[in-house]
Amino acid sequence: MNDIFRAAWVICRRDFIATVYSRTFLIFLFAPILGVGFGYLIGQMTEESDREMGRPKVAIVAPVEVTDAMAAAHAPLVEALSERALPAIEPVLPEGDAQAQARALLASPESNVSAVMTGGLDRPIIYGAADTVGDLAKEMAVVVEAARNGSALQGAGLPAQKPEVTIVTTEQAGGDVNMGRHALARAGQTIIFFFTIILAGMLLSNLVEEKSSKVIEILAAAVPLDAVFLGKIMAMLAISMIGVTIWGTLGLAAVYLFQGVAGWLTPPAVGWPLYILLLIFYFAANYMLYGALFVGVGAQANSVREVQTLSMPITFGQLAFFALASATVGQNDVTMTLAAALFPLTSPLTMIALAAQSPSIWPHLLAIAWQLVCLFVIVRIATLMFRTTVLKSGKAGSFFGPFKSAFARK
Amino acid sequence: MRGGLAIEAKGLFKAFDGKTAVDGVDIAVPEGSIYGILGPNGAGKTTTIRMLLGIIDPDRGERTLLGYDEPIKAAPIVGYLPEERGLYPSMTTREVIAFMGALRGLPLEIGRQRAEGMLSQNGLGDYVNKPIKSLSKGMAQTVQLFGTIVHRPKLIVLDEPFSGLDAINQGRLESLIRAEAAEGTTVIFSTHVIAHAERLCERIAIIAGGRLRFEGKVAEARDRLRPQVRLRTRVEDGAWRNALPGNAVKTDGHFQFELPESGIEPLLKTLIDGGAGIEELSIERPGLHDAFVAIAGDAVAREMENSTRVEEQA
Ligand SMILES: Nc1ncnc2c1ncn2[C@@H]1O[C@H](COP(=O)(O)OP(=O)(O)OP(=O)(O)O)[C@@H](O)[C@H]1O
Ligand SMILES: [Mg+2]
């Protein structure tokens, strides 16, 4: 056993150094940052264009007093609800026949309006396309009503006055906490899933190098295969920890800078420190479980192309398991949650969600022990597959051969 | 284990997908000897070596490696140069050698020092810090050989070590093998070039078609053949011809036949007395090549020669 760890350490150290000094590593480090950056940019752009394009606009054909009153009523409503709750409004001065003007506005694409309102506050008439005008009429009715109240008060010489609402704050609101925790549960799962995918890609390219350079024969002759697998997985884990540390620090810094964490995030049920620890552990476990699978399957391939072909089903599987684990968030189906927690490839994702939602700690102790057992078993199976296929029939290297022989024999 | 066997294998059998690759091979390699495994392409040399080293398990048969039933246990005192050479392309030569030593338990620092020594002694001093991908194929192979022996193993296993080397480096490798053996290291290598085995080995195994055709001393292999006599007489014909062995053939003026059991002297006396007139006479001990032909058959020997030629062209 001692020998295995010594040998694993030698392999781990080499892989670690080789990877950290490679160009791929820089790409790996910057991938999430670029990803987040691009995501942010695209978000900004789409948000802006959504604001421009996505919101219907209603032209109000009326004298200035009326359009002013409408605008005065519209602004606070939009502020209290949301921009999307109400259409935008645009004042248009009347010119001759109101109906003709409304039809002309709707007919021309340049005006960019979805509906036209005429008839002032007293007898509003709305023109528009059949599929949207009904909703727009209801929304505009709210604005018109507020505008009527406003001008009625003004007519009576009274100042427009909002009702005063006294605010009393409490520690928490159960509904919000649940929502926050669900969001946190999903966020934890997404982070683990996302990092695992990135790392799995690195692991694969590393394997391809090994395969194409034929080093594996030297390794297999010198050390037990378990040590080879263990070493590779440990190296990838160490590399991932560098990544996690850097991204984590940057992420936290960003959150502090832009939001001030405390008020923004709902604390997880197990508390922040334990949650972070569990997040790191479950990430490591998830990554190693998939990593072992990738090493086992990827090692069977003889070319980059084959590695890609082989990794595709795993990636799809990963997506499916991610979906399964996220389906357990916020619902009370104990059987399903238990099943997802027991199945090795969904266990870490399920458990990190549980840590956000439920304060009990013992399930995590059980889960950690279980995941370690699973990891051991998967590494063993991967080693066995490797021995029975690659080393015994390395020449032809068929796609299904590995699976056939690994399960048929022995 | 002094004076014992570095490798002992009995009845090794291996089939790949139902096709027999190695069929009942017995091998005994004395400690401190140089041992050759000879055979044409596809004979089963590599498969045999991989079974001996435990990279693959035989379907049947047993082997011990330096006294261990599980070959991997002997790993720290074994060095192995695989047939398909493989090094990490972006590692430097020194790091590769040290890494290969570390795999077998040699501390990295010592490995680096020895690597520098070996590289500079062999004219590769400039390449200590160069990545493997900047080396020629032969240089990379030399580096890999250093990595194979950097931890000073007791047993060195080389699969086709001469292929890919030029004449000078083949000579160097031969000296290196002899030097290792002189220090008590056991060296076993496979080849399809008989000359290397003939110059280096005390014992050989000849494998063809997965079967062991011969295992033993090179001298024994040779002794399977009688020495060959070449004779030229002044007189074309005469009664003395009846004294020649029945298998004698005449080609371009020479008689050629196996040395009779009774030796050459009685025959010579008859020839001289019969007035044949001896013009030319030679008695040649057969080379390993002829022994090989006799043992493995003409067809196999031709295959060997062809694979050698193909290799040289490549
Ligand atoms: N991994 C493998 N999968 C399937 N067949 C194999 C495998 N390795 C070897 N063989 C088969 O076993 C037989 C012996 O091959 P082996 O590589 O041992 O020959 P060799 O004597 O080393 O030949 P060479 O001189 O070409 O290196 C061949 O028929 C080969 O096709
Ligand atoms: Mg071979």
Side-chain angles (χ1 to χ4, degrees), chain B:
Chain B
M1 268 210 321
R2 195 160 263 275
L5 294 175
I7 298 178
E8 189 173 16
K10 285 213 177 78
L12 291 182
F13 179 94
K14 181 78 201 173
F16 292 107
D17 306 320
K19 191 173 153 275
T20 305
V22 171
D23 186 1
V25 165
D26 303 329
I27 278 180
V29 181
E31 278 200 348
S33 68
I34 303 177
Y35 192 97
I37 299 182
L38 274 70
N41 287 142
K45 304 182 292 292
T46 299
T47 307
T48 303
I49 287 177
R50 295 173 93 213
M51 284 193 280
L52 294 177
L53 290 172
I55 297 170
I56 55 179
D57 290 325
D59 297 340
R60 289 199 294 275
E62 287 151 24
R63 79 284 205 212
T64 56
L65 194 67
L66 296 170
Y68 292 97
D69 288 338
E70 278 180 69
I72 196 83
K73 294 227 168 91
I77 44 174
V78 174
Y80 168 48
L81 178 76
E83 174 173 37
E84 291 203 70
R85 322 285 192 240
L87 299 170
Y88 292 104
S90 42
M91 270 174 107
T92 64
T93 57
R94 178 181 46 206
E95 289 307 308
V96 158
I97 295 172
F99 169 68
M100 288 174 69
L103 282 176
R104 307 248 182 202
L106 182 74
L108 268 187
E109 248 336 289
I110 300 180
R112 291 197 184 107
Q113 279 165 20
R114 290 189 189 166
E116 282 175 22
M118 285 192 283
L119 287 167
S120 51
Q121 276 161 33
N122 285 274
L124 290 170
D126 291 345
Y127 289 91
V128 167
N129 282 314
K130 295 270 160 57
I132 294 296
K133 56 177 174 252
S134 69
L135 305 183
S136 78
K137 181 170 158 248
M139 287 175 182
Q141 189 166 325
T142 307
V143 168
Q144 183 158 2
L145 180 70
F146 293 158
T148 304
I149 58 173
V150 64
H151 58 294
R152 314 227 162 113
K154 283 209 169 81
L155 168 68
I156 300 175
V157 181
L158 310 168
D159 198 353
E160 304 276 0
F162 295 99
S163 82
L165 295 182
D166 61 21
I168 295 176
N169 279 307
Q170 291 194 1
R172 278 199 187 137
L173 178 55
E174 282 192 13
S175 327
L176 185 137
I177 289 175
R178 282 201 192 89
E180 290 287 342
E183 287 181 10
T185 309
T186 312
V187 182
I188 167 169
F189 68 91
S190 75
T191 182
H192 51 240
V193 183
I194 295 171
H196 293 303
E198 185 159 28
R199 282 200 289 274
L200 288 167
C201 299
E202 287 134 60
R203 292 175 73 89
I204 53 166
I206 295 177
I207 302 180
R211 287 175 169 276
L212 187 69
R213 306 302 175 96
F214 175 84
E215 207 270 340
K217 293 208 165 100
V218 173
E220 284 168 29
R222 287 208 192 99
D223 287 350
R224 294 235 176 147
L225 282 186
R226 304 284 309 149
Q228 292 286 314
V229 179
R230 257 168 85 87
L231 172 75
R232 190 150 133 154
T233 52
R234 226 176 344 263
V235 182
E236 279 286 302
D237 213 348
W240 49 266
R241 268 193 85 154
N242 296 328
L244 293 180
N247 59 11
V249 284
K250 190 165 185 191
T251 41
D252 56 75
H254 288 82
F255 293 101
Q256 197 156 357
F257 51 90
E258 280 182 3
L259 183 68
E261 297 283 343
S262 51
I264 194 76
E265 290 85 356
L267 176 65
L268 273 184
K269 186 167 180 331
T270 318
L271 292 180
I272 293 167
D273 293 349
I278 311 287
E279 188 115 285
E280 233 181 283
L281 173 71
S282 69
I283 304 175
E284 270 174 32
R285 266 188 66 107
L288 188 54
H289 180 269
D290 302 301
F292 189 94
V293 172
I295 290 166
D298 239 354
V300 173
R302 262 199 304 278
E303 264 178 62
M304 288 271 280
E305 271 155 23
N306 285 341
S307 52
T308 312
R309 215 168 294 132
V310 167
E311 166 128 314
E312 277 163 2
Q313 280 164 4

Side-chain angles (χ1 to χ4, degrees), chain A residues 7 62 70 72 94 99 110 133 142 144 158 194 217 221 231 237 254 274 281 332 340 359 379 384 407:
Chain A
M70 293 277 285
Q99 185 178 355
E110 285 98 71
V133 74
V142 177
V144 169
L158 295 169
F194 183 56
E217 178 96 356
L237 184 67
L274 190 58
F281 176 84
N332 299 320
V379 170
L384 210 89
F407 296 112

Side-chain angles (χ1 to χ4, degrees), chain A residues 282-296:
Chain A
Y282 287 130
F283 162 68
N286 193 57
Y287 165 65
M288 293 213 280
L289 286 164
Y290 279 98
L293 210 64
F294 269 111
V295 174

